[in-house]
Amino acid sequence: MLRMSIDSIRVSPMNYQRVVILKENDSDRYLPIWIGPAEADAIAVKLQDLSVPRPLTHDLLRTVIDTLGGSVVHILVSDLHNDTFYAKIVIEVEGDTKEIDSRPSDAMALAVRAQVPIFAEESVMDKAGILLDKETGKPLTPERDNTEPTGEVNEEELRRMSAFTDFINDLDLEDFGREQQGR
């Protein structure tokens, strides 16, 4: 498992869909995950320490877990199949650990409320993780072996990145590495 942090939440200028950008803590790899607007707002509200008059769904979920004697240990982006990400919420109850299937967006919204670590499986990062050129901000093709890079992208790499190519190409990445305001 690789420790991740929420780098930013972006909106695609082409279709206004949201994507959360996770950054691997010990490297410069990023993991973009498409999420719904409600979940994006739920994550952003907590990251920016905004107060809301009534509990949001993820606040309610945390309260229920706490009230029943459980605690959220961490969340894990556990798999990627057919361009769909899967996650697990890991909860401890009376010394017993439970893994609850979840959408990554809901798991992340809960993680920011419970202030617990976010992890991703190495296999997920291998499939969908991206590196960015520090000078241009454009995605780099990860090197799979020790040979010199040719600049050519093979069909497997194009297929692997298909879910993110349009979004990445439309991003304005000039401020990609900057800390989010309001943290």
PDB file of all heavy atoms in Angstrom, residues 101-135:
ATOM      1  N   ASP A 101     -16.726  -2.106   1.455  1.00  0.00           N
ATOM      2  CA  ASP A 101     -16.636  -1.703   0.056  1.00  0.00           C
ATOM      3  C   ASP A 101     -17.207  -0.297  -0.104  1.00  0.00           C
ATOM      4  O   ASP A 101     -18.231   0.031   0.489  1.00  0.00           O
ATOM      5  CB  ASP A 101     -17.404  -2.699  -0.818  1.00  0.00           C
ATOM      6  CG  ASP A 101     -17.280  -2.398  -2.295  1.00  0.00           C
ATOM      7  OD1 ASP A 101     -16.194  -1.971  -2.737  1.00  0.00           O
ATOM      8  OD2 ASP A 101     -18.281  -2.569  -3.012  1.00  0.00           O
ATOM      9  N   SER A 102     -16.541   0.530  -0.907  1.00  0.00           N
ATOM     10  CA  SER A 102     -16.966   1.916  -1.058  1.00  0.00           C
ATOM     11  C   SER A 102     -16.526   2.474  -2.396  1.00  0.00           C
ATOM     12  O   SER A 102     -15.580   1.980  -3.009  1.00  0.00           O
ATOM     13  CB  SER A 102     -16.335   2.754   0.067  1.00  0.00           C
ATOM     14  OG  SER A 102     -16.597   4.123  -0.086  1.00  0.00           O
ATOM     15  N   ARG A 103     -17.187   3.534  -2.817  1.00  0.00           N
ATOM     16  CA  ARG A 103     -16.657   4.326  -3.916  1.00  0.00           C
ATOM     17  C   ARG A 103     -15.498   5.139  -3.348  1.00  0.00           C
ATOM     18  O   ARG A 103     -15.568   5.583  -2.192  1.00  0.00           O
ATOM     19  CB  ARG A 103     -17.722   5.265  -4.486  1.00  0.00           C
ATOM     20  CG  ARG A 103     -18.903   4.550  -5.099  1.00  0.00           C
ATOM     21  CD  ARG A 103     -19.906   5.509  -5.680  1.00  0.00           C
ATOM     22  NE  ARG A 103     -20.309   6.518  -4.697  1.00  0.00           N
ATOM     23  CZ  ARG A 103     -21.107   7.545  -4.973  1.00  0.00           C
ATOM     24  NH1 ARG A 103     -21.598   7.716  -6.182  1.00  0.00           N
ATOM     25  NH2 ARG A 103     -21.435   8.403  -4.037  1.00  0.00           N
ATOM     26  N   PRO A 104     -14.445   5.362  -4.125  1.00  0.00           N
ATOM     27  CA  PRO A 104     -13.326   6.163  -3.601  1.00  0.00           C
ATOM     28  C   PRO A 104     -13.749   7.557  -3.138  1.00  0.00           C
ATOM     29  O   PRO A 104     -13.241   8.053  -2.134  1.00  0.00           O
ATOM     30  CB  PRO A 104     -12.363   6.245  -4.789  1.00  0.00           C
ATOM     31  CG  PRO A 104     -12.650   5.014  -5.576  1.00  0.00           C
ATOM     32  CD  PRO A 104     -14.140   4.800  -5.434  1.00  0.00           C
ATOM     33  N   SER A 105     -14.682   8.173  -3.833  1.00  0.00           N
ATOM     34  CA  SER A 105     -15.104   9.525  -3.457  1.00  0.00           C
ATOM     35  C   SER A 105     -15.728   9.554  -2.067  1.00  0.00           C
ATOM     36  O   SER A 105     -15.434  10.439  -1.256  1.00  0.00           O
ATOM     37  CB  SER A 105     -16.083  10.083  -4.491  1.00  0.00           C
ATOM     38  OG  SER A 105     -17.191   9.207  -4.646  1.00  0.00           O
ATOM     39  N   ASP A 106     -16.585   8.589  -1.758  1.00  0.00           N
ATOM     40  CA  ASP A 106     -17.191   8.530  -0.428  1.00  0.00           C
ATOM     41  C   ASP A 106     -16.144   8.191   0.630  1.00  0.00           C
ATOM     42  O   ASP A 106     -16.157   8.759   1.725  1.00  0.00           O
ATOM     43  CB  ASP A 106     -18.318   7.495  -0.393  1.00  0.00           C
ATOM     44  CG  ASP A 106     -19.531   7.920  -1.199  1.00  0.00           C
ATOM     45  OD1 ASP A 106     -19.845   9.127  -1.212  1.00  0.00           O
ATOM     46  OD2 ASP A 106     -20.152   7.046  -1.837  1.00  0.00           O
ATOM     47  N   ALA A 107     -15.245   7.285   0.299  1.00  0.00           N
ATOM     48  CA  ALA A 107     -14.186   6.919   1.237  1.00  0.00           C
ATOM     49  C   ALA A 107     -13.300   8.123   1.550  1.00  0.00           C
ATOM     50  O   ALA A 107     -12.951   8.368   2.711  1.00  0.00           O
ATOM     51  CB  ALA A 107     -13.354   5.764   0.669  1.00  0.00           C
ATOM     52  N   MET A 108     -12.949   8.907   0.529  1.00  0.00           N
ATOM     53  CA  MET A 108     -12.111  10.086   0.756  1.00  0.00           C
ATOM     54  C   MET A 108     -12.845  11.143   1.566  1.00  0.00           C
ATOM     55  O   MET A 108     -12.253  11.794   2.431  1.00  0.00           O
ATOM     56  CB  MET A 108     -11.627  10.659  -0.574  1.00  0.00           C
ATOM     57  CG  MET A 108     -10.521   9.823  -1.197  1.00  0.00           C
ATOM     58  SD  MET A 108      -9.879  10.551  -2.707  1.00  0.00           S
ATOM     59  CE  MET A 108     -11.022   9.900  -3.908  1.00  0.00           C
ATOM     60  N   ALA A 109     -14.139  11.334   1.298  1.00  0.00           N
ATOM     61  CA  ALA A 109     -14.924  12.307   2.068  1.00  0.00           C
ATOM     62  C   ALA A 109     -14.965  11.908   3.544  1.00  0.00           C
ATOM     63  O   ALA A 109     -14.910  12.769   4.426  1.00  0.00           O
ATOM     64  CB  ALA A 109     -16.331  12.431   1.498  1.00  0.00           C
ATOM     65  N   LEU A 110     -15.036  10.623   3.815  1.00  0.00           N
ATOM     66  CA  LEU A 110     -15.007  10.136   5.194  1.00  0.00           C
ATOM     67  C   LEU A 110     -13.600  10.279   5.781  1.00  0.00           C
ATOM     68  O   LEU A 110     -13.431  10.681   6.930  1.00  0.00           O
ATOM     69  CB  LEU A 110     -15.480   8.681   5.250  1.00  0.00           C
ATOM     70  CG  LEU A 110     -15.537   8.054   6.640  1.00  0.00           C
ATOM     71  CD1 LEU A 110     -16.481   8.827   7.557  1.00  0.00           C
ATOM     72  CD2 LEU A 110     -15.966   6.591   6.530  1.00  0.00           C
ATOM     73  N   ALA A 111     -12.582   9.969   4.991  1.00  0.00           N
ATOM     74  CA  ALA A 111     -11.194  10.044   5.473  1.00  0.00           C
ATOM     75  C   ALA A 111     -10.818  11.452   5.920  1.00  0.00           C
ATOM     76  O   ALA A 111     -10.154  11.623   6.945  1.00  0.00           O
ATOM     77  CB  ALA A 111     -10.230   9.559   4.392  1.00  0.00           C
ATOM     78  N   VAL A 112     -11.243  12.472   5.166  1.00  0.00           N
ATOM     79  CA  VAL A 112     -10.892  13.840   5.562  1.00  0.00           C
ATOM     80  C   VAL A 112     -11.624  14.244   6.843  1.00  0.00           C
ATOM     81  O   VAL A 112     -11.104  15.027   7.633  1.00  0.00           O
ATOM     82  CB  VAL A 112     -11.108  14.879   4.434  1.00  0.00           C
ATOM     83  CG1 VAL A 112     -10.205  14.594   3.259  1.00  0.00           C
ATOM     84  CG2 VAL A 112     -12.553  14.968   4.007  1.00  0.00           C
ATOM     85  N   ARG A 113     -12.808  13.692   7.079  1.00  0.00           N
ATOM     86  CA  ARG A 113     -13.535  13.980   8.313  1.00  0.00           C
ATOM     87  C   ARG A 113     -12.923  13.263   9.509  1.00  0.00           C
ATOM     88  O   ARG A 113     -12.842  13.821  10.594  1.00  0.00           O
ATOM     89  CB  ARG A 113     -15.003  13.591   8.158  1.00  0.00           C
ATOM     90  CG  ARG A 113     -15.762  14.612   7.354  1.00  0.00           C
ATOM     91  CD  ARG A 113     -17.045  14.107   6.754  1.00  0.00           C
ATOM     92  NE  ARG A 113     -17.743  15.217   6.126  1.00  0.00           N
ATOM     93  CZ  ARG A 113     -17.362  15.777   4.974  1.00  0.00           C
ATOM     94  NH1 ARG A 113     -16.316  15.314   4.332  1.00  0.00           N
ATOM     95  NH2 ARG A 113     -18.019  16.794   4.479  1.00  0.00           N
ATOM     96  N   ALA A 114     -12.515  12.022   9.314  1.00  0.00           N
ATOM     97  CA  ALA A 114     -11.929  11.236  10.400  1.00  0.00           C
ATOM     98  C   ALA A 114     -10.425  11.500  10.542  1.00  0.00           C
ATOM     99  O   ALA A 114      -9.804  11.010  11.479  1.00  0.00           O
ATOM    100  CB  ALA A 114     -12.176   9.752  10.150  1.00  0.00           C
ATOM    101  N   GLN A 115      -9.869  12.260   9.619  1.00  0.00           N
ATOM    102  CA  GLN A 115      -8.435  12.578   9.601  1.00  0.00           C
ATOM    103  C   GLN A 115      -7.580  11.311   9.675  1.00  0.00           C
ATOM    104  O   GLN A 115      -6.722  11.160  10.531  1.00  0.00           O
ATOM    105  CB  GLN A 115      -8.087  13.561  10.710  1.00  0.00           C
ATOM    106  CG  GLN A 115      -8.806  14.880  10.558  1.00  0.00           C
ATOM    107  CD  GLN A 115      -8.508  15.863  11.656  1.00  0.00           C
ATOM    108  OE1 GLN A 115      -8.108  15.506  12.750  1.00  0.00           O
ATOM    109  NE2 GLN A 115      -8.703  17.138  11.359  1.00  0.00           N
ATOM    110  N   VAL A 116      -7.871  10.405   8.748  1.00  0.00           N
ATOM    111  CA  VAL A 116      -7.142   9.138   8.675  1.00  0.00           C
ATOM    112  C   VAL A 116      -6.389   9.061   7.357  1.00  0.00           C
ATOM    113  O   VAL A 116      -6.720   9.766   6.397  1.00  0.00           O
ATOM    114  CB  VAL A 116      -8.093   7.927   8.832  1.00  0.00           C
ATOM    115  CG1 VAL A 116      -8.776   7.939  10.198  1.00  0.00           C
ATOM    116  CG2 VAL A 116      -9.113   7.870   7.714  1.00  0.00           C
ATOM    117  N   PRO A 117      -5.381   8.192   7.285  1.00  0.00           N
ATOM    118  CA  PRO A 117      -4.588   8.072   6.055  1.00  0.00           C
ATOM    119  C   PRO A 117      -5.383   7.533   4.875  1.00  0.00           C
ATOM    120  O   PRO A 117      -6.342   6.782   5.036  1.00  0.00           O
ATOM    121  CB  PRO A 117      -3.482   7.078   6.428  1.00  0.00           C
ATOM    122  CG  PRO A 117      -3.493   6.985   7.904  1.00  0.00           C
ATOM    123  CD  PRO A 117      -4.862   7.352   8.356  1.00  0.00           C
ATOM    124  N   ILE A 118      -4.933   7.947   3.694  1.00  0.00           N
ATOM    125  CA  ILE A 118      -5.452   7.452   2.426  1.00  0.00           C
ATOM    126  C   ILE A 118      -4.335   6.653   1.780  1.00  0.00           C
ATOM    127  O   ILE A 118      -3.204   7.140   1.682  1.00  0.00           O
ATOM    128  CB  ILE A 118      -5.886   8.613   1.513  1.00  0.00           C
ATOM    129  CG1 ILE A 118      -7.018   9.419   2.164  1.00  0.00           C
ATOM    130  CG2 ILE A 118      -6.289   8.096   0.125  1.00  0.00           C
ATOM    131  CD1 ILE A 118      -7.348  10.724   1.458  1.00  0.00           C
ATOM    132  N   PHE A 119      -4.647   5.445   1.347  1.00  0.00           N
ATOM    133  CA  PHE A 119      -3.673   4.582   0.685  1.00  0.00           C
ATOM    134  C   PHE A 119      -4.191   4.177  -0.687  1.00  0.00           C
ATOM    135  O   PHE A 119      -5.396   4.225  -0.937  1.00  0.00           O
ATOM    136  CB  PHE A 119      -3.403   3.311   1.503  1.00  0.00           C
ATOM    137  CG  PHE A 119      -2.732   3.556   2.823  1.00  0.00           C
ATOM    138  CD1 PHE A 119      -3.467   3.608   3.989  1.00  0.00           C
ATOM    139  CD2 PHE A 119      -1.357   3.731   2.887  1.00  0.00           C
ATOM    140  CE1 PHE A 119      -2.850   3.826   5.216  1.00  0.00           C
ATOM    141  CE2 PHE A 119      -0.731   3.955   4.103  1.00  0.00           C
ATOM    142  CZ  PHE A 119      -1.480   4.003   5.266  1.00  0.00           C
ATOM    143  N   ALA A 120      -3.273   3.758  -1.550  1.00  0.00           N
ATOM    144  CA  ALA A 120      -3.634   3.162  -2.840  1.00  0.00           C
ATOM    145  C   ALA A 120      -2.762   1.929  -3.028  1.00  0.00           C
ATOM    146  O   ALA A 120      -1.584   1.917  -2.634  1.00  0.00           O
ATOM    147  CB  ALA A 120      -3.420   4.144  -3.986  1.00  0.00           C
ATOM    148  N   GLU A 121      -3.333   0.910  -3.623  1.00  0.00           N
ATOM    149  CA  GLU A 121      -2.562  -0.284  -3.952  1.00  0.00           C
ATOM    150  C   GLU A 121      -1.567   0.048  -5.064  1.00  0.00           C
ATOM    151  O   GLU A 121      -1.868   0.850  -5.957  1.00  0.00           O
ATOM    152  CB  GLU A 121      -3.482  -1.426  -4.419  1.00  0.00           C
ATOM    153  CG  GLU A 121      -4.331  -2.027  -3.328  1.00  0.00           C
ATOM    154  CD  GLU A 121      -3.548  -2.878  -2.325  1.00  0.00           C
ATOM    155  OE1 GLU A 121      -2.310  -3.003  -2.445  1.00  0.00           O
ATOM    156  OE2 GLU A 121      -4.205  -3.408  -1.417  1.00  0.00           O
ATOM    157  N   GLU A 122      -0.417  -0.571  -5.007  1.00  0.00           N
ATOM    158  CA  GLU A 122       0.605  -0.376  -6.044  1.00  0.00           C
ATOM    159  C   GLU A 122       0.044  -0.722  -7.421  1.00  0.00           C
ATOM    160  O   GLU A 122       0.330  -0.039  -8.405  1.00  0.00           O
ATOM    161  CB  GLU A 122       1.836  -1.237  -5.738  1.00  0.00           C
ATOM    162  CG  GLU A 122       2.951  -1.107  -6.753  1.00  0.00           C
ATOM    163  CD  GLU A 122       3.698   0.218  -6.676  1.00  0.00           C
ATOM    164  OE1 GLU A 122       4.042   0.640  -5.573  1.00  0.00           O
ATOM    165  OE2 GLU A 122       3.929   0.825  -7.745  1.00  0.00           O
ATOM    166  N   SER A 123      -0.788  -1.767  -7.504  1.00  0.00           N
ATOM    167  CA  SER A 123      -1.349  -2.178  -8.791  1.00  0.00           C
ATOM    168  C   SER A 123      -2.229  -1.074  -9.392  1.00  0.00           C
ATOM    169  O   SER A 123      -2.259  -0.896 -10.607  1.00  0.00           O
ATOM    170  CB  SER A 123      -2.155  -3.471  -8.652  1.00  0.00           C
ATOM    171  OG  SER A 123      -3.225  -3.289  -7.747  1.00  0.00           O
ATOM    172  N   VAL A 124      -2.926  -0.316  -8.553  1.00  0.00           N
ATOM    173  CA  VAL A 124      -3.750   0.792  -9.037  1.00  0.00           C
ATOM    174  C   VAL A 124      -2.853   1.901  -9.576  1.00  0.00           C
ATOM    175  O   VAL A 124      -3.102   2.461 -10.647  1.00  0.00           O
ATOM    176  CB  VAL A 124      -4.678   1.326  -7.925  1.00  0.00           C
ATOM    177  CG1 VAL A 124      -5.397   2.594  -8.362  1.00  0.00           C
ATOM    178  CG2 VAL A 124      -5.677   0.250  -7.512  1.00  0.00           C
ATOM    179  N   MET A 125      -1.783   2.195  -8.851  1.00  0.00           N
ATOM    180  CA  MET A 125      -0.842   3.232  -9.309  1.00  0.00           C
ATOM    181  C   MET A 125      -0.153   2.804 -10.597  1.00  0.00           C
ATOM    182  O   MET A 125       0.108   3.633 -11.470  1.00  0.00           O
ATOM    183  CB  MET A 125       0.181   3.543  -8.222  1.00  0.00           C
ATOM    184  CG  MET A 125      -0.412   4.259  -7.022  1.00  0.00           C
ATOM    185  SD  MET A 125      -1.159   5.854  -7.422  1.00  0.00           S
ATOM    186  CE  MET A 125       0.285   6.830  -7.815  1.00  0.00           C
ATOM    187  N   ASP A 126       0.139   1.508 -10.730  1.00  0.00           N
ATOM    188  CA  ASP A 126       0.757   1.014 -11.967  1.00  0.00           C
ATOM    189  C   ASP A 126      -0.180   1.197 -13.160  1.00  0.00           C
ATOM    190  O   ASP A 126       0.258   1.504 -14.257  1.00  0.00           O
ATOM    191  CB  ASP A 126       1.135  -0.460 -11.842  1.00  0.00           C
ATOM    192  CG  ASP A 126       2.333  -0.685 -10.935  1.00  0.00           C
ATOM    193  OD1 ASP A 126       3.063   0.289 -10.630  1.00  0.00           O
ATOM    194  OD2 ASP A 126       2.534  -1.834 -10.515  1.00  0.00           O
ATOM    195  N   LYS A 127      -1.481   1.020 -12.937  1.00  0.00           N
ATOM    196  CA  LYS A 127      -2.456   1.147 -14.023  1.00  0.00           C
ATOM    197  C   LYS A 127      -2.791   2.594 -14.347  1.00  0.00           C
ATOM    198  O   LYS A 127      -2.969   2.944 -15.512  1.00  0.00           O
ATOM    199  CB  LYS A 127      -3.761   0.425 -13.652  1.00  0.00           C
ATOM    200  CG  LYS A 127      -3.674  -1.076 -13.613  1.00  0.00           C
ATOM    201  CD  LYS A 127      -5.012  -1.653 -13.165  1.00  0.00           C
ATOM    202  CE  LYS A 127      -4.936  -3.144 -12.943  1.00  0.00           C
ATOM    203  NZ  LYS A 127      -6.212  -3.678 -12.416  1.00  0.00           N
ATOM    204  N   ALA A 128      -2.930   3.437 -13.327  1.00  0.00           N
ATOM    205  CA  ALA A 128      -3.497   4.768 -13.556  1.00  0.00           C
ATOM    206  C   ALA A 128      -2.656   5.926 -13.028  1.00  0.00           C
ATOM    207  O   ALA A 128      -3.006   7.072 -13.251  1.00  0.00           O
ATOM    208  CB  ALA A 128      -4.891   4.841 -12.934  1.00  0.00           C
ATOM    209  N   GLY A 129      -1.567   5.626 -12.342  1.00  0.00           N
ATOM    210  CA  GLY A 129      -0.720   6.701 -11.828  1.00  0.00           C
ATOM    211  C   GLY A 129      -0.013   7.425 -12.960  1.00  0.00           C
ATOM    212  O   GLY A 129       0.303   6.830 -13.987  1.00  0.00           O
ATOM    213  N   ILE A 130       0.198   8.716 -12.779  1.00  0.00           N
ATOM    214  CA  ILE A 130       0.880   9.503 -13.801  1.00  0.00           C
ATOM    215  C   ILE A 130       2.020  10.294 -13.163  1.00  0.00           C
ATOM    216  O   ILE A 130       1.990  10.618 -11.976  1.00  0.00           O
ATOM    217  CB  ILE A 130      -0.079  10.475 -14.528  1.00  0.00           C
ATOM    218  CG1 ILE A 130      -0.724  11.459 -13.551  1.00  0.00           C
ATOM    219  CG2 ILE A 130      -1.124   9.721 -15.322  1.00  0.00           C
ATOM    220  CD1 ILE A 130      -1.508  12.575 -14.207  1.00  0.00           C
ATOM    221  N   LEU A 131       3.039  10.565 -13.955  1.00  0.00           N
ATOM    222  CA  LEU A 131       4.138  11.450 -13.574  1.00  0.00           C
ATOM    223  C   LEU A 131       4.009  12.705 -14.412  1.00  0.00           C
ATOM    224  O   LEU A 131       3.561  12.656 -15.556  1.00  0.00           O
ATOM    225  CB  LEU A 131       5.486  10.788 -13.851  1.00  0.00           C
ATOM    226  CG  LEU A 131       5.821   9.550 -13.033  1.00  0.00           C
ATOM    227  CD1 LEU A 131       7.090   8.892 -13.565  1.00  0.00           C
ATOM    228  CD2 LEU A 131       5.986   9.899 -11.567  1.00  0.00           C
ATOM    229  N   LEU A 132       4.409  13.821 -13.842  1.00  0.00           N
ATOM    230  CA  LEU A 132       4.349  15.071 -14.578  1.00  0.00           C
ATOM    231  C   LEU A 132       5.756  15.619 -14.787  1.00  0.00           C
ATOM    232  O   LEU A 132       6.581  15.564 -13.880  1.00  0.00           O
ATOM    233  CB  LEU A 132       3.516  16.106 -13.812  1.00  0.00           C
ATOM    234  CG  LEU A 132       2.070  15.727 -13.551  1.00  0.00           C
ATOM    235  CD1 LEU A 132       1.384  16.800 -12.724  1.00  0.00           C
ATOM    236  CD2 LEU A 132       1.329  15.511 -14.850  1.00  0.00           C
ATOM    237  N   ASP A 133       5.994  16.136 -15.969  1.00  0.00           N
ATOM    238  CA  ASP A 133       7.255  16.806 -16.265  1.00  0.00           C
ATOM    239  C   ASP A 133       7.288  18.088 -15.449  1.00  0.00           C
ATOM    240  O   ASP A 133       6.376  18.905 -15.526  1.00  0.00           O
ATOM    241  CB  ASP A 133       7.335  17.107 -17.762  1.00  0.00           C
ATOM    242  CG  ASP A 133       8.652  17.727 -18.152  1.00  0.00           C
ATOM    243  OD1 ASP A 133       8.928  18.861 -17.692  1.00  0.00           O
ATOM    244  OD2 ASP A 133       9.395  17.092 -18.915  1.00  0.00           O
ATOM    245  N   LYS A 134       8.341  18.277 -14.656  1.00  0.00           N
ATOM    246  CA  LYS A 134       8.416  19.442 -13.780  1.00  0.00           C
ATOM    247  C   LYS A 134       8.487  20.754 -14.555  1.00  0.00           C
ATOM    248  O   LYS A 134       8.047  21.789 -14.065  1.00  0.00           O
ATOM    249  CB  LYS A 134       9.600  19.313 -12.838  1.00  0.00           C
ATOM    250  CG  LYS A 134       9.426  18.209 -11.816  1.00  0.00           C
ATOM    251  CD  LYS A 134      10.510  18.238 -10.788  1.00  0.00           C
ATOM    252  CE  LYS A 134      10.463  17.075  -9.847  1.00  0.00           C
ATOM    253  NZ  LYS A 134       9.251  16.948  -9.083  1.00  0.00           N
ATOM    254  N   GLU A 135       9.033  20.725 -15.763  1.00  0.00           N
ATOM    255  CA  GLU A 135       9.152  21.947 -16.560  1.00  0.00           C
ATOM    256  C   GLU A 135       7.865  22.287 -17.310  1.00  0.00           C
ATOM    257  O   GLU A 135       7.453  23.436 -17.348  1.00  0.00           O
ATOM    258  CB  GLU A 135      10.308  21.821 -17.544  1.00  0.00           C
ATOM    259  CG  GLU A 135      11.667  21.780 -16.865  1.00  0.00           C
ATOM    260  CD  GLU A 135      12.798  21.612 -17.852  1.00  0.00           C
ATOM    261  OE1 GLU A 135      12.608  21.892 -19.056  1.00  0.00           O
ATOM    262  OE2 GLU A 135      13.879  21.183 -17.414  1.00  0.00           O
TER     263      GLU A 135
END
